[in-house]
Amino acid sequence: MTANNWHGCTVVCMASGPSLNAADAERVKRWRTAGDDRRVIVTNTTFKMAPWADVLYAMDSAWWRKYHCEAAQAFKGDKFTVARGSAPGAVKLDFQHGQNSGAGAMALAEHFGARQIILLGYDCQYTGGRRHWHGDHPRGLGNCVSLPKFNGHFEKMARQLRHCHIINCSRETALKFWPRLDLEEALQLVSEPDFIPARAGRR
């Protein structure tokens, strides 16, 4: 199943929030390999935690110029961007991508046909005083300076993806637009053949 034909798939979008950890990534990896209707999108430097994911998405051309060589060696999945400038190694797409990489990953999953999306690492806050799970980006790259605007970005994305079923499994999160579940429970729930989206609850 190619990246432009994810109809019927459930997609886990892994952003770079500070609450993301290797244990959660490993759990997603096991889930991903257990079925052909399962996909994973990682944003930015999270490709280092999940080099086995299907898609790497990053918005900023500066990020691609910094990491394209490392990503080319370590990440074998498809690589996409909406960057206006040079983004070596990435395919540029035109879609309603939102205004940050996490929102863009969700929109990309929907663009490819997915209607069930699980969020992981979507803190959208400085959890424990940190901006990302991997520490700050090097000088010259953005470090969540637009964080105060994220709630508005995701409010727009909630309207754009209102036809999708979205579960937020981030360990810590400031987002209030989607139901929350523990990751293990959510992955088991969406894997059931008789899964009904309305069963997803809040924690």
Side-chain angles (χ1 to χ4, degrees), residues 1 4 13 18 21 25 42 46 55 69 94 100 107 116 118 141 150-151 174 183 196-197:
M1 183 177 291
N4 60 2
C13 292
N21 64 36
V42 293
T46 297
V55 165
C69 289
D94 182 18
N100 64 69
Q116 289 189 170
I118 293 175
L141 299 183
F150 275 19
N151 193 70
L183 177 62
I196 301 173

Side-chain angles (χ1 to χ4, degrees), residues 44 48 68 122 135 139 166-167 198:
N44 301 311
K48 294 185 177 183
H68 75 278
Y122 279 71
R139 183 185 297 272
I166 299 170
I167 304 173

Side-chain angles (χ1 to χ4, degrees), residues 1-6 39-44 47 53-61 63-64 71 75-85 87-95 97 101 104-105 107-109 111-112:
M1 183 177 291
T2 60
N4 60 2
N5 183 16
W6 287 7
R39 295 291 182 269
V40 178
I41 298 176
V42 293
T43 68
N44 301 311
F47 81 87
D54 299 280
V55 165
L56 165 59
Y57 173 75
M59 292 181 64
D60 300 329
S61 57
W63 187 92
W64 284 106
F75 190 84
K76 304 308 179 185
D78 295 324
K79 305 171 184 69
F80 297 105
T81 188
V82 292
R84 296 181 180 179
V91 175
K92 294 185 181 181
L93 292 180
D94 182 18
F95 66 103
H97 56 79
S101 290
L108 187 61
H111 176 74
F112 288 150

